[in-house]
Amino acid sequence: MIKQLATTKPKPPSDLSKEAAGLWQSLATEYDISDAGGLLLLNVAMEAFSRMREAQKLLAEFGPITTDAKGLMKPSPAIAIERDSRRGLLSAMRQLNLDILPLRDRVGRPGGSR
């Protein structure tokens, strides 16, 4: 007797923001990401996306400049958080081969160049 494989679709991690979870679901569906490595990279990308958004909110609220204990102006630490998170997001997206437009004539991730 042949056993059928479970066809449950993976779900985004519960600790992602609502925006990141929606993007996670869209990318997983559009590019048919279901393998363990792909899901791990997608999770990393969406965690970086969430951190980037949090830093952007801090920058919007407090601005890009802060003052130290001596009263000297310096860049907000949120600038580095946003920059580093954006780099992490883009790096994970490249590793997933999602740095190009999706092919619309078939389901799955776009093919890489060989």
Side-chain angles (χ1 to χ4, degrees), residues 13 21 27 40 49 58 65 70 99 102 105:
L27 291 169
L40 177 62
F49 177 80
L58 288 171
I65 302 295
K70 296 178 184 178
D99 58 337
D105 61 343

Side-chain angles (χ1 to χ4, degrees), residues 2 8 11 44 54 60 66 69 99 103:
I2 299 174
T8 58
K11 295 185 179 182
V44 167
E54 289 172 9
T66 188
D99 58 337
L103 298 174

Side-chain angles (χ1 to χ4, degrees), residues 48-49 51-52 80-90:
F49 177 80
R51 257 190 320 280
M52 180 184 73
I81 295 169
E82 181 190 24
R83 179 196 62 227
D84 295 345
S85 297
R86 184 182 312 269
R87 284 182 184 162
L89 168 63
L90 294 174

Side-chain angles (χ1 to χ4, degrees), residues 14-80:
S14 60
D15 60 338
L16 292 179
S17 68
K18 187 175 181 178
E19 182 183 18
L23 184 55
W24 188 102
Q25 194 65 57
S26 294
L27 291 169
T29 301
E30 185 173 348
Y31 290 98
D32 192 28
I33 301 171
S34 58
D35 59 289
L39 291 172
L40 177 62
L41 284 170
L42 185 57
N43 291 347
V44 167
M46 293 303 100
E47 288 168 355
F49 177 80
S50 289
R51 257 190 320 280
M52 180 184 73
R53 287 292 197 231
E54 289 172 9
Q56 289 170 339
K57 287 177 187 174
L58 288 171
L59 289 168
E61 183 176 347
F62 298 107
I65 302 295
T66 188
T67 54
D68 64 14
K70 296 178 184 178
L72 299 173
M73 292 190 330
K74 65 178 189 173
S76 167
I79 291 174

